[in-house]
Amino acid sequence: MGYQDKKAKAEDFKSSAYTLLLAGIIGIAALVLLELGVFGFRLASPQKYMTYGVMGALFVIFIVMGIMSLRSAKQYVTEAATEEDLTAKVKAWAAEHLTADMVRDAVPFEEDTPDEEKYFKYFAYLQAAVTQEFGTLSPAFVEAFCEELYAELFENGGQE
């Protein structure tokens, strides 16, 4: 699984929380309405308690999981602000210190070197440069950032 920024994780947890809470609340409401006879039928007594017990427990678990997801979403929202600051700092540094020509000059190749090999060498150089400048960042963060940086340097602006 690839890197997912904290803001996206917060959104995922938030949508999961709302879905779980909604399913749990609607499920419990449906069980209550079923017991009250609103739907026009009732379960037979021997099966009724087993069904209510199992389904009720399931819907309560949904609600508890929804609440836990909301808490996680709040935590990721807080972490997202820190991550956005770090990303902005790394992008500013990269814009100032890394260009396609500079990377090409730093990583020499033979004339007939395949593009795939160039990609991996350039990518390794970008990762090393970012890691050297910013220390121990998450490897997944560095990889995702360098993929984006590589695209900006070589695919969008500095054609290979």
Side-chain angles (χ1 to χ4, degrees), residues 71-129:
R71 287 183 181 162
S72 294
K74 287 179 183 177
Q75 176 186 352
Y76 280 117
V77 164
T78 304
E79 292 176 9
T82 304
E83 185 181 71
E84 285 176 2
D85 291 343
L86 175 64
T87 301
K89 185 191 292 186
V90 175
K91 282 184 178 184
W93 174 83
E96 188 175 322
H97 293 94
L98 295 173
T99 64
D101 290 334
M102 187 227 135
V103 174
R104 283 188 195 106
D105 291 343
V107 184
F109 291 104
E110 300 289 326
E111 277 188 41
D112 59 345
T113 302
D115 288 343
E116 295 82 17
E117 188 176 331
K118 288 181 183 180
Y119 167 81
F120 288 115
K121 296 279 185 167
Y122 290 157
F123 190 80
Y125 178 83
L126 293 174
Q127 283 182 313

Side-chain angles (χ1 to χ4, degrees), residues 127-149:
Q127 283 182 313
V130 169
T131 301
Q132 181 179 355
E133 181 65 25
F134 292 96
T136 55
L137 297 173
S138 160
F141 174 83
V142 172
E143 184 173 338
F145 178 80
C146 289
E147 284 177 10
E148 185 179 316
L149 181 59

